Amino acid sequence: AQKITQTQPGMFVQEKEAVTLDCTYDTSDPSYGLFWYKQPSSGEMIFLIYQGSYDQQNATEGRYSLNFQKARKSANLVISASQLGDSAMYFCAMRGVTSYGKLTFGQGTILTVHP
Amino acid sequence: DTAVSQTPKYLVTQMGNDKSIKCEQNLGHDTMYWYKQDSKKFLKIMFSYNNKELIINETVPNRFSPKSPDKAHLNLHINSLELGDSAVYFCASSEGLFRADTQYFGPGTRLTVL
């Protein structure tokens, strides 16, 4: 079984600053993948970034990077140079090698970017 | 070109009715999913299909019945709708079942049961 915990219900950041959204996970799977999704107020789920448990380097995608600390079971999302359009709900999710594809989601963090 | 599409986007209906939500993906993926997002925004998987075969049925009432006529389509039929079924239902697809296969979501269907 997998469990994802996002302890920050809401976060605020000034435009152009960086922000870190926390995510911790628990799993007994030897191999797994970690994902972050963005859900703006319009409701769609947008894939942002992926990190594999055996990847040697932290994943980056444009302004998004994943701070993966395997020993601490954390997979924090870092957004650099925040923009107003980054205001949204952010979900951390994982799937293990025994999940049959199932994604387990955290509770989400609402990010608000102030001008 | 929409990768994963769902119809309808909004569905308002009375308790006890039967309704269907349709999903189509044009990504050539083998695996499709249904997720439910409740009023607290919590997302939970309901079903997954791989090559038209049911893989996951996650403790969902049997009033919910998925059907996959082909790899590109996964529909969700709900019988005898209840107030608690009100939620946003997302369809998603991925290349396969591997841990690295990213799931791409449809726009969601907001179901309101009155």
Side-chain angles (χ1 to χ4, degrees), chain B residues 17-46:
Chain B
N17 284 351
D18 303 339
K19 290 293 177 186
S20 291
I21 306 171
K22 295 187 175 182
C23 178
E24 176 181 2
Q25 54 95 3
N26 63 5
L27 297 167
H29 288 168
D30 284 344
T31 312
M32 295 184 74
Y33 311 81
W34 279 109
Y35 286 87
K36 178 180 180 181
Q37 186 173 41
D38 63 23
S39 58
K40 295 183 178 175
K41 300 288 191 178
F42 186 66
L43 275 148
K44 190 166 187 238
I45 193 163
M46 300 173 71

PDB file of all heavy atoms in Angstrom, chain B residues 17-46:
ATOM      1  N   ASN B  17     -31.888   8.190 -10.823  1.00  0.00           N
ATOM      2  CA  ASN B  17     -31.677   8.076 -12.278  1.00  0.00           C
ATOM      3  C   ASN B  17     -30.424   7.274 -12.604  1.00  0.00           C
ATOM      4  O   ASN B  17     -29.562   7.050 -11.746  1.00  0.00           O
ATOM      5  CB  ASN B  17     -31.566   9.468 -12.902  1.00  0.00           C
ATOM      6  CG  ASN B  17     -32.906  10.159 -13.036  1.00  0.00           C
ATOM      7  OD1 ASN B  17     -33.958   9.548 -12.812  1.00  0.00           O
ATOM      8  ND2 ASN B  17     -32.878  11.429 -13.372  1.00  0.00           N
ATOM      9  N   ASP B  18     -30.338   6.874 -13.874  1.00  0.00           N
ATOM     10  CA  ASP B  18     -29.145   6.206 -14.404  1.00  0.00           C
ATOM     11  C   ASP B  18     -28.484   7.150 -15.394  1.00  0.00           C
ATOM     12  O   ASP B  18     -29.164   7.757 -16.224  1.00  0.00           O
ATOM     13  CB  ASP B  18     -29.524   4.919 -15.150  1.00  0.00           C
ATOM     14  CG  ASP B  18     -30.293   3.937 -14.289  1.00  0.00           C
ATOM     15  OD1 ASP B  18     -30.208   4.039 -13.058  1.00  0.00           O
ATOM     16  OD2 ASP B  18     -30.971   3.065 -14.861  1.00  0.00           O
ATOM     17  N   LYS B  19     -27.158   7.257 -15.312  1.00  0.00           N
ATOM     18  CA  LYS B  19     -26.435   8.150 -16.225  1.00  0.00           C
ATOM     19  C   LYS B  19     -25.108   7.527 -16.653  1.00  0.00           C
ATOM     20  O   LYS B  19     -24.565   6.659 -15.962  1.00  0.00           O
ATOM     21  CB  LYS B  19     -26.133   9.501 -15.550  1.00  0.00           C
ATOM     22  CG  LYS B  19     -27.358  10.369 -15.320  1.00  0.00           C
ATOM     23  CD  LYS B  19     -27.946  10.835 -16.637  1.00  0.00           C
ATOM     24  CE  LYS B  19     -29.218  11.648 -16.396  1.00  0.00           C
ATOM     25  NZ  LYS B  19     -29.891  11.996 -17.673  1.00  0.00           N
ATOM     26  N   SER B  20     -24.598   8.024 -17.774  1.00  0.00           N
ATOM     27  CA  SER B  20     -23.297   7.558 -18.278  1.00  0.00           C
ATOM     28  C   SER B  20     -22.378   8.734 -18.550  1.00  0.00           C
ATOM     29  O   SER B  20     -22.835   9.807 -18.946  1.00  0.00           O
ATOM     30  CB  SER B  20     -23.476   6.768 -19.577  1.00  0.00           C
ATOM     31  OG  SER B  20     -24.124   5.552 -19.341  1.00  0.00           O
ATOM     32  N   ILE B  21     -21.091   8.474 -18.354  1.00  0.00           N
ATOM     33  CA  ILE B  21     -20.055   9.435 -18.721  1.00  0.00           C
ATOM     34  C   ILE B  21     -19.133   8.721 -19.711  1.00  0.00           C
ATOM     35  O   ILE B  21     -18.751   7.563 -19.492  1.00  0.00           O
ATOM     36  CB  ILE B  21     -19.228   9.883 -17.498  1.00  0.00           C
ATOM     37  CG1 ILE B  21     -20.143  10.414 -16.399  1.00  0.00           C
ATOM     38  CG2 ILE B  21     -18.211  10.946 -17.910  1.00  0.00           C
ATOM     39  CD1 ILE B  21     -19.409  10.678 -15.076  1.00  0.00           C
ATOM     40  N   LYS B  22     -18.795   9.437 -20.787  1.00  0.00           N
ATOM     41  CA  LYS B  22     -17.957   8.818 -21.813  1.00  0.00           C
ATOM     42  C   LYS B  22     -16.554   9.408 -21.784  1.00  0.00           C
ATOM     43  O   LYS B  22     -16.371  10.593 -21.487  1.00  0.00           O
ATOM     44  CB  LYS B  22     -18.577   9.028 -23.194  1.00  0.00           C
ATOM     45  CG  LYS B  22     -19.898   8.331 -23.355  1.00  0.00           C
ATOM     46  CD  LYS B  22     -20.406   8.403 -24.778  1.00  0.00           C
ATOM     47  CE  LYS B  22     -21.671   7.569 -24.906  1.00  0.00           C
ATOM     48  NZ  LYS B  22     -22.188   7.553 -26.279  1.00  0.00           N
ATOM     49  N   CYS B  23     -15.581   8.584 -22.105  1.00  0.00           N
ATOM     50  CA  CYS B  23     -14.194   9.023 -22.148  1.00  0.00           C
ATOM     51  C   CYS B  23     -13.517   8.447 -23.374  1.00  0.00           C
ATOM     52  O   CYS B  23     -13.697   7.265 -23.704  1.00  0.00           O
ATOM     53  CB  CYS B  23     -13.449   8.581 -20.887  1.00  0.00           C
ATOM     54  SG  CYS B  23     -11.691   9.032 -20.886  1.00  0.00           S
ATOM     55  N   GLU B  24     -12.717   9.280 -24.020  1.00  0.00           N
ATOM     56  CA  GLU B  24     -11.963   8.849 -25.193  1.00  0.00           C
ATOM     57  C   GLU B  24     -10.559   9.424 -25.120  1.00  0.00           C
ATOM     58  O   GLU B  24     -10.374  10.583 -24.731  1.00  0.00           O
ATOM     59  CB  GLU B  24     -12.657   9.329 -26.474  1.00  0.00           C
ATOM     60  CG  GLU B  24     -11.898   9.001 -27.748  1.00  0.00           C
ATOM     61  CD  GLU B  24     -12.596   9.502 -29.002  1.00  0.00           C
ATOM     62  OE1 GLU B  24     -13.657  10.151 -28.883  1.00  0.00           O
ATOM     63  OE2 GLU B  24     -12.068   9.258 -30.105  1.00  0.00           O
ATOM     64  N   GLN B  25      -9.578   8.632 -25.515  1.00  0.00           N
ATOM     65  CA  GLN B  25      -8.207   9.152 -25.592  1.00  0.00           C
ATOM     66  C   GLN B  25      -7.632   8.861 -26.977  1.00  0.00           C
ATOM     67  O   GLN B  25      -7.892   7.791 -27.547  1.00  0.00           O
ATOM     68  CB  GLN B  25      -7.320   8.553 -24.487  1.00  0.00           C
ATOM     69  CG  GLN B  25      -7.273   7.048 -24.393  1.00  0.00           C
ATOM     70  CD  GLN B  25      -6.118   6.385 -25.124  1.00  0.00           C
ATOM     71  OE1 GLN B  25      -5.256   7.047 -25.690  1.00  0.00           O
ATOM     72  NE2 GLN B  25      -6.088   5.064 -25.103  1.00  0.00           N
ATOM     73  N   ASN B  26      -6.893   9.846 -27.495  1.00  0.00           N
ATOM     74  CA  ASN B  26      -6.292   9.694 -28.823  1.00  0.00           C
ATOM     75  C   ASN B  26      -4.767   9.631 -28.743  1.00  0.00           C
ATOM     76  O   ASN B  26      -4.068  10.012 -29.682  1.00  0.00           O
ATOM     77  CB  ASN B  26      -6.756  10.810 -29.752  1.00  0.00           C
ATOM     78  CG  ASN B  26      -6.314  12.195 -29.274  1.00  0.00           C
ATOM     79  OD1 ASN B  26      -5.568  12.316 -28.290  1.00  0.00           O
ATOM     80  ND2 ASN B  26      -6.773  13.234 -29.935  1.00  0.00           N
ATOM     81  N   LEU B  27      -4.272   9.154 -27.585  1.00  0.00           N
ATOM     82  CA  LEU B  27      -2.832   9.072 -27.356  1.00  0.00           C
ATOM     83  C   LEU B  27      -2.252   7.715 -27.720  1.00  0.00           C
ATOM     84  O   LEU B  27      -1.046   7.506 -27.608  1.00  0.00           O
ATOM     85  CB  LEU B  27      -2.530   9.378 -25.881  1.00  0.00           C
ATOM     86  CG  LEU B  27      -2.916  10.798 -25.436  1.00  0.00           C
ATOM     87  CD1 LEU B  27      -2.888  10.895 -23.917  1.00  0.00           C
ATOM     88  CD2 LEU B  27      -1.982  11.816 -26.058  1.00  0.00           C
ATOM     89  N   GLY B  28      -3.120   6.781 -28.081  1.00  0.00           N
ATOM     90  CA  GLY B  28      -2.642   5.430 -28.388  1.00  0.00           C
ATOM     91  C   GLY B  28      -2.258   4.650 -27.139  1.00  0.00           C
ATOM     92  O   GLY B  28      -1.511   3.661 -27.236  1.00  0.00           O
ATOM     93  N   HIS B  29      -2.734   5.057 -26.001  1.00  0.00           N
ATOM     94  CA  HIS B  29      -2.388   4.398 -24.738  1.00  0.00           C
ATOM     95  C   HIS B  29      -3.135   3.081 -24.571  1.00  0.00           C
ATOM     96  O   HIS B  29      -4.223   2.892 -25.110  1.00  0.00           O
ATOM     97  CB  HIS B  29      -2.703   5.323 -23.557  1.00  0.00           C
ATOM     98  CG  HIS B  29      -1.768   6.476 -23.434  1.00  0.00           C
ATOM     99  ND1 HIS B  29      -2.008   7.554 -22.603  1.00  0.00           N
ATOM    100  CD2 HIS B  29      -0.566   6.713 -24.018  1.00  0.00           C
ATOM    101  CE1 HIS B  29      -0.998   8.397 -22.686  1.00  0.00           C
ATOM    102  NE2 HIS B  29      -0.106   7.914 -23.542  1.00  0.00           N
ATOM    103  N   ASP B  30      -2.538   2.198 -23.757  1.00  0.00           N
ATOM    104  CA  ASP B  30      -3.153   0.895 -23.499  1.00  0.00           C
ATOM    105  C   ASP B  30      -4.021   0.885 -22.243  1.00  0.00           C
ATOM    106  O   ASP B  30      -4.843   0.000 -22.069  1.00  0.00           O
ATOM    107  CB  ASP B  30      -2.058  -0.172 -23.301  1.00  0.00           C
ATOM    108  CG  ASP B  30      -1.424  -0.588 -24.617  1.00  0.00           C
ATOM    109  OD1 ASP B  30      -2.002  -0.304 -25.684  1.00  0.00           O
ATOM    110  OD2 ASP B  30      -0.348  -1.207 -24.567  1.00  0.00           O
ATOM    111  N   THR B  31      -3.779   1.849 -21.347  1.00  0.00           N
ATOM    112  CA  THR B  31      -4.413   1.803 -20.032  1.00  0.00           C
ATOM    113  C   THR B  31      -5.258   3.044 -19.786  1.00  0.00           C
ATOM    114  O   THR B  31      -4.833   4.165 -20.078  1.00  0.00           O
ATOM    115  CB  THR B  31      -3.339   1.689 -18.929  1.00  0.00           C
ATOM    116  OG1 THR B  31      -2.412   0.659 -19.290  1.00  0.00           O
ATOM    117  CG2 THR B  31      -3.963   1.338 -17.587  1.00  0.00           C
ATOM    118  N   MET B  32      -6.458   2.821 -19.248  1.00  0.00           N
ATOM    119  CA  MET B  32      -7.356   3.931 -18.923  1.00  0.00           C
ATOM    120  C   MET B  32      -7.906   3.754 -17.515  1.00  0.00           C
ATOM    121  O   MET B  32      -7.976   2.629 -16.994  1.00  0.00           O
ATOM    122  CB  MET B  32      -8.496   4.015 -19.948  1.00  0.00           C
ATOM    123  CG  MET B  32      -7.993   4.349 -21.352  1.00  0.00           C
ATOM    124  SD  MET B  32      -9.305   4.577 -22.552  1.00  0.00           S
ATOM    125  CE  MET B  32      -9.960   6.187 -22.080  1.00  0.00           C
ATOM    126  N   TYR B  33      -8.291   4.879 -16.917  1.00  0.00           N
ATOM    127  CA  TYR B  33      -8.673   4.897 -15.515  1.00  0.00           C
ATOM    128  C   TYR B  33      -9.897   5.794 -15.301  1.00  0.00           C
ATOM    129  O   TYR B  33     -10.123   6.741 -16.061  1.00  0.00           O
ATOM    130  CB  TYR B  33      -7.542   5.497 -14.659  1.00  0.00           C
ATOM    131  CG  TYR B  33      -6.170   4.936 -14.897  1.00  0.00           C
ATOM    132  CD1 TYR B  33      -5.399   5.377 -15.981  1.00  0.00           C
ATOM    133  CD2 TYR B  33      -5.627   3.986 -14.051  1.00  0.00           C
ATOM    134  CE1 TYR B  33      -4.127   4.868 -16.203  1.00  0.00           C
ATOM    135  CE2 TYR B  33      -4.352   3.479 -14.264  1.00  0.00           C
ATOM    136  CZ  TYR B  33      -3.609   3.923 -15.341  1.00  0.00           C
ATOM    137  OH  TYR B  33      -2.347   3.424 -15.564  1.00  0.00           O
ATOM    138  N   TRP B  34     -10.608   5.504 -14.205  1.00  0.00           N
ATOM    139  CA  TRP B  34     -11.587   6.449 -13.672  1.00  0.00           C
ATOM    140  C   TRP B  34     -11.189   6.784 -12.242  1.00  0.00           C
ATOM    141  O   TRP B  34     -10.906   5.890 -11.435  1.00  0.00           O
ATOM    142  CB  TRP B  34     -12.999   5.862 -13.665  1.00  0.00           C
ATOM    143  CG  TRP B  34     -13.685   5.940 -14.989  1.00  0.00           C
ATOM    144  CD1 TRP B  34     -13.973   4.911 -15.830  1.00  0.00           C
ATOM    145  CD2 TRP B  34     -14.162   7.119 -15.639  1.00  0.00           C
ATOM    146  NE1 TRP B  34     -14.593   5.369 -16.958  1.00  0.00           N
ATOM    147  CE2 TRP B  34     -14.728   6.720 -16.870  1.00  0.00           C
ATOM    148  CE3 TRP B  34     -14.184   8.474 -15.312  1.00  0.00           C
ATOM    149  CZ2 TRP B  34     -15.302   7.635 -17.775  1.00  0.00           C
ATOM    150  CZ3 TRP B  34     -14.752   9.374 -16.206  1.00  0.00           C
ATOM    151  CH2 TRP B  34     -15.303   8.960 -17.419  1.00  0.00           C
ATOM    152  N   TYR B  35     -11.169   8.106 -11.958  1.00  0.00           N
ATOM    153  CA  TYR B  35     -10.922   8.608 -10.622  1.00  0.00           C
ATOM    154  C   TYR B  35     -12.125   9.441 -10.187  1.00  0.00           C
ATOM    155  O   TYR B  35     -12.790  10.075 -11.008  1.00  0.00           O
ATOM    156  CB  TYR B  35      -9.680   9.520 -10.585  1.00  0.00           C
ATOM    157  CG  TYR B  35      -8.369   8.795 -10.697  1.00  0.00           C
ATOM    158  CD1 TYR B  35      -7.823   8.494 -11.940  1.00  0.00           C
ATOM    159  CD2 TYR B  35      -7.656   8.422  -9.555  1.00  0.00           C
ATOM    160  CE1 TYR B  35      -6.608   7.830 -12.045  1.00  0.00           C
ATOM    161  CE2 TYR B  35      -6.439   7.764  -9.656  1.00  0.00           C
ATOM    162  CZ  TYR B  35      -5.927   7.469 -10.899  1.00  0.00           C
ATOM    163  OH  TYR B  35      -4.723   6.817 -11.006  1.00  0.00           O
ATOM    164  N   LYS B  36     -12.339   9.473  -8.860  1.00  0.00           N
ATOM    165  CA  LYS B  36     -13.392  10.306  -8.295  1.00  0.00           C
ATOM    166  C   LYS B  36     -12.743  11.354  -7.396  1.00  0.00           C
ATOM    167  O   LYS B  36     -11.890  11.020  -6.562  1.00  0.00           O
ATOM    168  CB  LYS B  36     -14.362   9.454  -7.467  1.00  0.00           C
ATOM    169  CG  LYS B  36     -15.482  10.237  -6.799  1.00  0.00           C
ATOM    170  CD  LYS B  36     -16.382   9.302  -6.006  1.00  0.00           C
ATOM    171  CE  LYS B  36     -17.517  10.056  -5.321  1.00  0.00           C
ATOM    172  NZ  LYS B  36     -18.398   9.155  -4.532  1.00  0.00           N
ATOM    173  N   GLN B  37     -13.128  12.624  -7.590  1.00  0.00           N
ATOM    174  CA  GLN B  37     -12.649  13.697  -6.715  1.00  0.00           C
ATOM    175  C   GLN B  37     -13.841  14.200  -5.902  1.00  0.00           C
ATOM    176  O   GLN B  37     -14.799  14.735  -6.463  1.00  0.00           O
ATOM    177  CB  GLN B  37     -12.026  14.841  -7.510  1.00  0.00           C
ATOM    178  CG  GLN B  37     -11.398  15.900  -6.610  1.00  0.00           C
ATOM    179  CD  GLN B  37     -10.633  16.960  -7.375  1.00  0.00           C
ATOM    180  OE1 GLN B  37     -11.059  17.426  -8.414  1.00  0.00           O
ATOM    181  NE2 GLN B  37      -9.464  17.339  -6.860  1.00  0.00           N
ATOM    182  N   ASP B  38     -13.754  14.039  -4.582  1.00  0.00           N
ATOM    183  CA  ASP B  38     -14.883  14.416  -3.738  1.00  0.00           C
ATOM    184  C   ASP B  38     -14.874  15.918  -3.435  1.00  0.00           C
ATOM    185  O   ASP B  38     -14.028  16.667  -3.934  1.00  0.00           O
ATOM    186  CB  ASP B  38     -14.901  13.574  -2.464  1.00  0.00           C
ATOM    187  CG  ASP B  38     -13.682  13.794  -1.578  1.00  0.00           C
ATOM    188  OD1 ASP B  38     -13.032  14.862  -1.674  1.00  0.00           O
ATOM    189  OD2 ASP B  38     -13.365  12.896  -0.771  1.00  0.00           O
ATOM    190  N   SER B  39     -15.814  16.312  -2.597  1.00  0.00           N
ATOM    191  CA  SER B  39     -15.994  17.745  -2.317  1.00  0.00           C
ATOM    192  C   SER B  39     -14.791  18.353  -1.595  1.00  0.00           C
ATOM    193  O   SER B  39     -14.602  19.561  -1.624  1.00  0.00           O
ATOM    194  CB  SER B  39     -17.262  17.966  -1.495  1.00  0.00           C
ATOM    195  OG  SER B  39     -17.187  17.223  -0.297  1.00  0.00           O
ATOM    196  N   LYS B  40     -13.976  17.520  -0.953  1.00  0.00           N
ATOM    197  CA  LYS B  40     -12.765  18.002  -0.286  1.00  0.00           C
ATOM    198  C   LYS B  40     -11.549  17.906  -1.206  1.00  0.00           C
ATOM    199  O   LYS B  40     -10.420  18.052  -0.758  1.00  0.00           O
ATOM    200  CB  LYS B  40     -12.514  17.213   1.003  1.00  0.00           C
ATOM    201  CG  LYS B  40     -13.598  17.433   2.033  1.00  0.00           C
ATOM    202  CD  LYS B  40     -13.290  16.705   3.332  1.00  0.00           C
ATOM    203  CE  LYS B  40     -14.391  17.002   4.347  1.00  0.00           C
ATOM    204  NZ  LYS B  40     -14.233  16.252   5.603  1.00  0.00           N
ATOM    205  N   LYS B  41     -11.791  17.643  -2.459  1.00  0.00           N
ATOM    206  CA  LYS B  41     -10.758  17.606  -3.501  1.00  0.00           C
ATOM    207  C   LYS B  41      -9.888  16.348  -3.427  1.00  0.00           C
ATOM    208  O   LYS B  41      -8.867  16.279  -4.108  1.00  0.00           O
ATOM    209  CB  LYS B  41      -9.834  18.840  -3.435  1.00  0.00           C
ATOM    210  CG  LYS B  41     -10.558  20.149  -3.626  1.00  0.00           C
ATOM    211  CD  LYS B  41     -10.971  20.302  -5.055  1.00  0.00           C
ATOM    212  CE  LYS B  41     -11.469  21.710  -5.337  1.00  0.00           C
ATOM    213  NZ  LYS B  41     -11.840  21.883  -6.736  1.00  0.00           N
ATOM    214  N   PHE B  42     -10.299  15.373  -2.620  1.00  0.00           N
ATOM    215  CA  PHE B  42      -9.499  14.159  -2.529  1.00  0.00           C
ATOM    216  C   PHE B  42      -9.768  13.282  -3.746  1.00  0.00           C
ATOM    217  O   PHE B  42     -10.926  13.027  -4.098  1.00  0.00           O
ATOM    218  CB  PHE B  42      -9.811  13.402  -1.249  1.00  0.00           C
ATOM    219  CG  PHE B  42      -8.918  12.230  -1.026  1.00  0.00           C
ATOM    220  CD1 PHE B  42      -7.559  12.414  -0.787  1.00  0.00           C
ATOM    221  CD2 PHE B  42      -9.396  10.939  -1.096  1.00  0.00           C
ATOM    222  CE1 PHE B  42      -6.712  11.339  -0.604  1.00  0.00           C
ATOM    223  CE2 PHE B  42      -8.556   9.854  -0.917  1.00  0.00           C
ATOM    224  CZ  PHE B  42      -7.216  10.052  -0.673  1.00  0.00           C
ATOM    225  N   LEU B  43      -8.684  12.817  -4.368  1.00  0.00           N
ATOM    226  CA  LEU B  43      -8.771  11.998  -5.583  1.00  0.00           C
ATOM    227  C   LEU B  43      -8.530  10.546  -5.248  1.00  0.00           C
ATOM    228  O   LEU B  43      -7.533  10.205  -4.604  1.00  0.00           O
ATOM    229  CB  LEU B  43      -7.697  12.429  -6.581  1.00  0.00           C
ATOM    230  CG  LEU B  43      -8.055  13.595  -7.475  1.00  0.00           C
ATOM    231  CD1 LEU B  43      -6.821  14.390  -7.806  1.00  0.00           C
ATOM    232  CD2 LEU B  43      -8.718  13.086  -8.739  1.00  0.00           C
ATOM    233  N   LYS B  44      -9.415   9.686  -5.747  1.00  0.00           N
ATOM    234  CA  LYS B  44      -9.252   8.266  -5.475  1.00  0.00           C
ATOM    235  C   LYS B  44      -9.604   7.471  -6.724  1.00  0.00           C
ATOM    236  O   LYS B  44     -10.560   7.784  -7.420  1.00  0.00           O
ATOM    237  CB  LYS B  44     -10.170   7.845  -4.335  1.00  0.00           C
ATOM    238  CG  LYS B  44      -9.904   6.446  -3.833  1.00  0.00           C
ATOM    239  CD  LYS B  44     -10.569   6.198  -2.513  1.00  0.00           C
ATOM    240  CE  LYS B  44     -10.103   4.844  -1.990  1.00  0.00           C
ATOM    241  NZ  LYS B  44     -11.103   3.893  -1.724  1.00  0.00           N
ATOM    242  N   ILE B  45      -8.802   6.454  -6.977  1.00  0.00           N
ATOM    243  CA  ILE B  45      -9.054   5.634  -8.163  1.00  0.00           C
ATOM    244  C   ILE B  45     -10.307   4.805  -7.955  1.00  0.00           C
ATOM    245  O   ILE B  45     -10.635   4.387  -6.837  1.00  0.00           O
ATOM    246  CB  ILE B  45      -7.859   4.726  -8.485  1.00  0.00           C
ATOM    247  CG1 ILE B  45      -8.022   4.147  -9.879  1.00  0.00           C
ATOM    248  CG2 ILE B  45      -7.701   3.636  -7.436  1.00  0.00           C
ATOM    249  CD1 ILE B  45      -6.776   3.566 -10.476  1.00  0.00           C
ATOM    250  N   MET B  46     -11.048   4.604  -9.057  1.00  0.00           N
ATOM    251  CA  MET B  46     -12.201   3.721  -9.027  1.00  0.00           C
ATOM    252  C   MET B  46     -11.908   2.448  -9.825  1.00  0.00           C
ATOM    253  O   MET B  46     -12.066   1.338  -9.333  1.00  0.00           O
ATOM    254  CB  MET B  46     -13.407   4.436  -9.635  1.00  0.00           C
ATOM    255  CG  MET B  46     -13.804   5.712  -8.926  1.00  0.00           C
ATOM    256  SD  MET B  46     -15.077   6.590  -9.817  1.00  0.00           S
ATOM    257  CE  MET B  46     -16.489   5.521  -9.563  1.00  0.00           C
TER     258      MET B  46
END
